[in-house]
Amino acid sequence: DTATWKGWDDPLVVPNGNAAKVWKNALGFNVIGGSSVFPHMSHEWESLISDKKKEGKTSSSSLYCISDSEVLLIDGSKESLDIAR
């Protein structure tokens, strides 16, 4: 769902059916146990993230905001994540 928050991506690229509905329920690769990633995070998006949290769209513990100078490291064997700066 975070892919549509900025309005940069076009949900119409999803074939078959109502694109917005398909994207809303898409889990992506689900490689981090149901958590979400918000890439390209900057100060510009802080109010958007705050609004989404207030709407119940996400929580602090399930959303990883990654700036362009960071990388999300996922260690499946340890079931852990880290943000490298």
Side-chain angles (χ1 to χ4, degrees):
D1 202 31
T2 57
T4 61
W5 289 0
K6 293 177 191 162
W8 290 358
D9 299 299
D10 181 3
L12 298 175
V13 300
V14 177
N16 304 323
N18 182 328
K21 192 183 256 185
V22 170
W23 275 44
K24 182 177 174 86
N25 297 316
L27 293 176
F29 292 121
N30 197 25
V31 294
I32 53 177
S35 295
S36 297
V37 176
F38 188 83
H40 312 295
M41 180 62 180
S42 66
H43 295 293
E44 164 184 14
W45 304 110
E46 288 176 357
S47 62
L48 175 67
I49 296 297
S50 178
D51 291 346
K52 294 297 182 182
K53 287 179 181 177
K54 287 176 189 170
E55 293 171 15
K57 300 284 185 182
T58 189
S59 68
S60 296
S61 62
S62 68
L63 179 65
Y64 295 89
C65 297
I66 310 299
S67 73
D68 288 340
S69 62
E70 298 174 319
V71 121
L72 181 65
L73 303 170
I74 304 166
D75 186 337
S77 64
K78 294 181 183 176
E79 296 183 7
S80 67
L81 337 149
D82 289 302
I83 297 176
R85 294 174 169 82

